[in-house]
Amino acid sequence: MPTLLLLPGDGIGPEVTAQVRRVAARLAPDLTLIERPFGGISFDTLGTPLSDETIATALAADAVLMGAVGGPQWASAPRDKRPEAGLLGLRQAMGVYANLRPALCFDALAGGSALKAEIVAGLDIMIVRELTGGVYFGQPRFIETLADGQRRGVDTQVYTTSEIERVSRVAFELARGRRNKVTSCEKSNVMETGLLWREVVTALHARDYADVTLEHMLADNAAMQLVKNPRQFDVIVTDNLFGDILSDEAAMLTGGIGLLPSAALGEAGKPGLYEPIHGSAPDIAGQGVANPLAAILSFEMALRWSLGRDDLADRLFAAVKTALDGGARTRDLGGELSCAAMGDAVLGAL
Ligand code: NAD
């Protein structure tokens, strides 16, 4: 029987994951749900944001679904005990190197985008961001004081062939199940890692994925094209830094942070980590007004990418679409529904 580890976390995390629980009970009654403390709540109760037992449970599960972590009450905790450190630790322990961030515009919400509805209607992009390498992890990294009294900060952008190849492979595989096009983004005009990135993606494409259309685009141009003509993209693959920025930009095309799920995948057969892209929203936590759809759609991704249940994922996605088409709106979408009432709307559509 497959198991899903739920990590509700902090702030609105427990509120939105409670709706995932209800949906899972209806849609996949065979799924075993386990729950563990994670983030700030784990620091408060266990003295660490990520306990060894939570890591072991995550590695033994088929998928892990997290709500959100963090909040002002932990801002003064030691750096390695902050809720966010727990999240980085979990990603590292699970070895999830490919971050899948869909940017998908539901027709019913096209009017809520920052762009004109005719530019974003029908938008369906998948951004694959490299998650465990690049400039966020590269060594050396330090701030030093120079002899003349100035300070100098150093980060290192570094990628190996295998790091580039494995994340690109995920992108090509995904594209085959979609519109069969990959856009690889880097800065090969000014960066050595960008040059290597382009060479490795080109070679992998020729070797194993010649049936997929591959295009290369400089990351700054991709930022412009995402706003100018976003529907030209199918799958975008890029490094950790550019992916961080481009995926947030793409998210804003779709009309709301409360709607957007994500997945982080590692080697085949290993559990994936699924989470809404939003944070713990301390400003609305405890009020029961958070939009649970990002968490529910994260569960939809878990069904598809870790639990092998595309059929249930399709049903859940259709139910979310039906609920939105029927006018279900939480406050962030300009409506009145509570978090639980949005859960009701999805359950009703199921
Ligand atoms: P946030 O995403 O928590 O909130 C930004 C804004 O969006 C807020 O106004 C919030 O009310 C709103 N919002 C977010 N999710 C919503 C939802 N589901 N429904 C309705 N409205 C929603 O970002 P922030 O305020 O910058 O960060 C708050 C805390 O969350 C910080 O401690 C931060 O470190 C943490 N954080 C955690 C994660 C994570 O767990 N993966 C991601 C981002 C931020």
Side-chain angles (χ1 to χ4, degrees):
M1 199 176 298
T3 55
L4 175 72
L5 172 62
L6 268 186
L7 302 172
D10 309 316
I12 62 169
E15 300 169 35
V16 295
T17 49
Q19 301 312 311
V20 172
R21 248 183 196 288
R22 297 176 69 208
V23 168
R26 171 76 59 87
L27 191 64
D30 285 351
L31 189 64
T32 303
L33 295 187
I34 312 169
E35 197 168 304
R36 293 276 314 157
F38 180 57
I41 179 86
S42 174
F43 175 67
D44 289 349
T45 52
L46 304 172
T48 170
L50 174 64
S51 67
D52 290 344
E53 192 178 344
T54 296
I55 294 178
T57 314
L59 295 178
D62 293 288
V64 179
L65 194 148
M66 188 192 108
V69 294
Q73 59 270 57
W74 298 287
S76 54
R79 206 173 170 76
D80 63 329
K81 297 287 185 202
R82 292 213 190 127
E84 294 78 4
L87 181 52
L88 287 182
L90 183 65
R91 286 177 181 157
Q92 214 144 36
M94 292 180 69
V96 284
Y97 56 78
N99 188 204
L100 276 52
R101 293 259 311 246
L104 197 138
C105 189
F106 289 94
D107 289 345
L109 300 177
S113 168
L115 297 190
K116 292 190 190 107
E118 64 262 29
I119 292 184
V120 293
L123 182 73
D124 179 6
I125 303 175
M126 179 68 85
I127 299 191
V128 180
R129 164 189 171 194
E130 200 289 324
L131 198 59
T132 52
V135 73
Y136 293 171
F137 294 94
Q139 295 291 340
R141 51 187 297 153
F142 56 84
I143 300 176
E144 65 179 354
T145 303
L146 301 176
D148 65 0
Q150 284 196 82
R151 298 176 78 214
R152 191 171 81 111
V154 174
D155 290 291
T156 303
Q157 164 86 342
V158 52
Y159 273 110
T160 61
T161 312
S162 61
E163 283 176 316
I164 300 168
E165 213 174 271
R166 65 185 184 177
V167 73
S168 305
R169 201 172 277 288
V170 171
F172 284 123
E173 294 287 340
L174 277 169
R176 278 183 175 159
R178 296 170 47 97
R179 298 189 301 282
N180 217 36
K181 178 178 170 189
V182 169
T183 305
S184 171
C185 301
E186 26 61 13
K187 289 283 289 176
S188 55
N189 52 341
V190 287
M191 294 173 74
E192 298 304 312
T193 47
L195 205 55
L196 182 68
W197 186 282
R198 189 175 284 222
E199 283 175 18
V200 171
V201 174
T202 303
L204 177 68
H205 174 253
R207 199 165 69 233
D208 291 342
Y209 297 100
D211 56 304
V212 179
T213 303
L214 170 65
E215 121 189 305
H216 300 280
M217 193 179 280
L218 297 178
D220 49 342
N221 185 26
M224 286 196 290
Q225 295 299 326
L226 271 173
V227 180
K228 193 174 166 203
N229 177 16
R231 279 184 307 210
Q232 70 184 282
F233 296 108
D234 178 16
V235 176
I236 292 176
V237 63
T238 189
D239 75 10
N240 203 342
L241 173 64
F242 297 137
D244 194 1
I245 296 166
L246 293 177
S247 62
D248 270 12
E249 184 190 2
M252 282 303 99
L253 305 177
T254 66
I257 196 171
L259 279 170
L260 293 164
S262 75
L265 306 180
E267 297 305 328
K270 295 272 172 60
L273 174 61
Y274 299 85
E275 50 176 307
I277 70 155
H278 61 70
S280 57
D283 54 334
I284 58 166
Q287 298 176 22
V289 298
N291 186 347
L293 290 183
I296 289 172
L297 289 170
S298 297
F299 178 53
E300 184 258 352
M301 293 188 85
L303 287 167
R304 205 178 289 286
W305 302 113
S306 285
L307 301 171
R309 293 303 303 263
D310 285 36
D311 56 331
L312 299 184
D314 288 346
R315 275 178 61 197
L316 181 52
F317 188 82
V320 168
K321 192 170 176 312
T322 302
L324 289 171
D325 287 344
R329 301 280 187 278
T330 38
R331 254 182 14 195
D332 55 309
L333 302 177
E336 299 286 326
L337 289 190
S338 66
C339 185
M342 184 58 106
D344 291 342
V346 175
L347 286 174
L350 274 177

